[in-house]
Amino acid sequence: MHDLHSERMSGSETRAAGGLALVFAFRMLGMFMVLPVLATYGMDLAGATPALIGFAIGAYGLTQAFLQIPFGIISDRIGRRPVIYIGLVIFALGSLLAAHADSIWGVIAGRVLQGAGAISAAVMALLSDLTREQHRTKAMATIGMSIGVSFAVAMVVGPLVTRMFGLSGLFIVTAVMALVGIGLIAFVVPSASSHFTHRESGVARQALLPTLKHPDLLRLDVGIFVLHAILMASFVALPLALVERAGLPKEQHWWVYLTALLVSFFGMIPFIIYGEKKRKMKRVLIGAVATLMLTELFFWAFGYSLTELVVGTVVFFTAFNLLEASLPSLISKVSPAGGKGTAMGVYSTSQFLGAALGGILGGWLFQHGGLNVVFIGCAGLLAIWLAIAVTMREPPYVTSLRLPLSPAALREAALAERLKAVPGVTDAVVVAEEAAIYIKLDTEILDRASLERLVNPAPETCQA
């Protein structure tokens, strides 16, 4: 039995974090690999129009958005693993449906079914069951990184796989990845001895209304909605611009994305360090949104040669990856104590709705106005986000903690109010049914050990 307060992750926690990160990565690879290729290869499908190609690109977001939170709630009732297995099987079936489609409508149906395997919330909840409090943030960060890496890999591998096996071969590969995910859950991820409802990793109904009314959380939800909308819309236009304007054969697009993603990964790191260390995340956020907007205008005005399109794509991905990495951490800073899981649920739903709308809008704009209208449309959406982001307050630089409470501490009246008076504690809420307290604190002012002593003092101080 490992020590409850040991500072290292145990073997089973490492296996849980690694295994679930891989499940996430394989599923995300399946979602994203079609992005760089559908606009160019999809036009060979029967009935394909640019508007329907855009719909196929974003279609998974529709079902994902609506089923994300319900699947999480069902996993509280029937268990995490059954929900994850069902979700991965649905995803695999969607991939096979798309693989055997000979018309664009078959591919759209497959993408819609892929999105119906909405397992994100159940995976996060299982991770909470399998990790201790002090390692949970680390474990969740592992999953966050796996999503980022899978997106980067998908941009490069998608064109290479499609070049070798065609569009149907690409969808078969994504079905195989879902089956690998099932194997990982069955054989690598340890079994949870119990599962508990946890407000940092699941949606709490009581927290839903306050989350939907929270102005700064809503600004961030609009942000991720726009970010994924312009990503999908841009991927209706960018691959076509590379073929039509720069004359780059679709089989060679992989090197453009590889260059852009490698440069952007290293390019964004200094900005994240600056924003966190100097506590200037609002400035970094606004700068990145403005850069994305200017990049879309650059594509519109100058994106007519290979050099210009490659430079634009590098800048686009640097700003995109910077925002994709920093928005979830802003959600966790801004959300009230005990509200992070609910805030992330609403955020994910906004993200998938954005992806759905962006694909549909990008395809429709391209069909009715060509490439330039797509770029102008994306710049317009980003201008709206910029206007909203400017009014955001500087986020609080706080950490979320959940500490178990002893029966004596639970009986104590006004514990949360007393804690809020402690310098460095910005918010606290006692959740009696979990026998726990959720706290937001500034680690530069207050350290965790002194906080634990305040919440659950040693027996002799209780009697004093």
Side-chain angles (χ1 to χ4, degrees):
M1 182 76 182
H2 50 259
D3 170 27
L4 192 64
H5 291 287
S6 105
E7 279 316 302
R8 294 180 63 132
M9 285 175 92
S10 69
S12 72
E13 285 174 319
T14 307
R15 260 175 47 225
L20 290 172
L22 281 172
V23 169
F24 238 109
F26 282 138
R27 190 169 143 280
M28 288 306 190
L29 265 174
M31 291 285 194
F32 290 137
M33 279 201 304
V34 300
L35 270 191
V37 296
L38 210 49
T40 46
Y41 287 83
M43 287 309 282
D44 300 335
L45 292 161
T49 65
L52 290 176
I53 290 283
F55 189 19
I57 285 176
Y60 81 94
L62 283 174
T63 37
Q64 188 87 14
F66 291 112
L67 295 174
Q68 166 97 349
I69 291 176
F71 265 45
I73 293 167
I74 293 166
S75 82
D76 287 339
R77 300 260 167 82
I78 68 167
R80 321 297 188 203
R81 281 169 187 268
V83 168
I84 296 170
Y85 286 137
I86 291 164
L88 287 169
V89 168
I90 291 172
F91 183 83
L93 291 173
S95 302
L96 291 173
L97 179 60
H100 291 97
D102 46 16
S103 78
I104 187 68
W105 287 107
V107 171
I108 288 170
R111 290 287 280 168
V112 167
L113 195 55
Q114 276 187 330
I119 58 168
S120 313
V123 169
M124 288 302 201
L126 181 58
L127 187 69
S128 283
D129 296 344
L130 293 168
T131 50
R132 288 166 294 160
E133 197 62 50
Q134 65 267 41
H135 298 309
R136 200 157 289 135
T137 308
K138 212 184 305 173
M140 288 190 175
T142 309
I143 285 190
M145 277 167 52
S146 80
I147 295 170
V149 170
S150 67
F151 176 74
V153 171
M155 289 293 107
V156 178
V157 172
L160 290 172
V161 171
T162 315
R163 178 182 172 179
M164 286 188 283
F165 306 111
L167 206 50
S168 64
L170 178 74
F171 282 116
I172 286 170
V173 169
T174 68
V176 170
M177 285 178 174
L179 299 176
V180 171
I182 290 173
L184 286 166
I185 295 287
F187 302 112
V188 176
V189 176
S191 296
S193 49
S194 62
H195 82 260
F196 59 96
T197 312
H198 188 297
R199 280 192 173 204
E200 296 290 78
S201 60
V203 172
R205 289 194 191 114
Q206 315 87 306
L208 201 50
L209 202 58
T211 300
L212 293 170
K213 286 179 172 174
H214 194 298
D216 279 340
L217 284 176
L218 286 175
R219 285 184 180 91
L220 296 170
D221 293 334
V222 168
I224 194 67
F225 177 91
V226 170
L227 187 65
H228 278 255
I230 63 118
L231 175 71
M232 297 299 158
S234 297
F235 269 101
V236 173
L238 260 181
L240 293 170
L242 286 169
V243 173
E244 291 172 14
R245 291 180 171 183
L248 186 70
K250 58 190 178 186
E251 295 78 16
Q252 289 181 32
H253 288 192
W254 64 271
W255 69 258
V256 175
Y257 302 126
L258 180 62
T259 308
L261 286 156
L262 283 174
V263 175
S264 72
F265 178 73
F266 293 105
M268 73 171 183
I269 292 171
F271 295 103
I272 288 184
I273 293 170
Y274 166 78
E276 289 289 351
K277 284 268 189 295
K278 303 280 186 197
R279 302 196 162 194
K280 300 274 190 212
M281 276 316 290
K282 179 182 172 182
R283 184 182 292 181
V284 170
L285 179 91
I286 289 168
V289 178
T291 303
L292 266 185
M293 185 180 75
L294 292 172
T295 308
E296 295 287 356
L297 293 173
F298 175 84
F299 284 138
W300 163 67
F302 305 106
Y304 290 91
S305 75
L306 185 57
T307 307
E308 284 155 352
L309 285 169
V310 171
V311 168
T313 307
V314 168
V315 177
F316 177 90
F317 274 118
T318 306
F320 174 86
N321 286 334
L322 177 57
L323 288 162
E324 184 80 352
S326 49
L327 282 170
S329 87
L330 288 171
I331 288 274
S332 104
K333 285 180 169 72
V334 170
S335 59
K340 183 171 140 195
T342 309
M344 284 307 290
V346 175
Y347 171 86
S348 295
T349 302
S350 310
Q351 175 180 336
F352 292 122
L353 279 174
L357 175 95
I360 294 163
L361 189 67
W364 187 84
L365 288 174
F366 177 69
Q367 189 162 324
H368 292 89
L371 290 175
N372 277 342
V373 177
V374 179
F375 296 135
I376 289 286
C378 288
L381 274 178
L382 286 159
I384 294 168
W385 181 12
L386 189 58
I388 292 169
V390 167
T391 63
M392 183 179 111
R393 290 172 301 183
E394 188 68 48
Y397 289 83
V398 290
T399 304
S400 303
L401 268 188
R402 177 187 181 276
L403 296 174
L405 289 178
S406 66
L410 256 182
R411 286 194 298 273
E412 205 173 311
L415 175 64
E417 298 310 313
R418 230 183 60 234
L419 275 175
K420 283 186 206 172
V422 174
V425 175
T426 60
D427 195 9
V429 62
V430 173
V431 181
E433 59 269 28
E434 290 182 34
I437 186 165
Y438 290 89
I439 302 160
K440 310 278 285 197
L441 73 144
D442 187 328
T443 47
E444 282 192 6
I445 300 172
L446 183 70
D447 70 323
R448 186 194 165 113
S450 56
L451 189 71
E452 286 193 26
R453 282 197 298 278
L454 275 169
V455 172
N456 287 315
E460 60 273 18
T461 38
C462 278
Q463 290 149 9

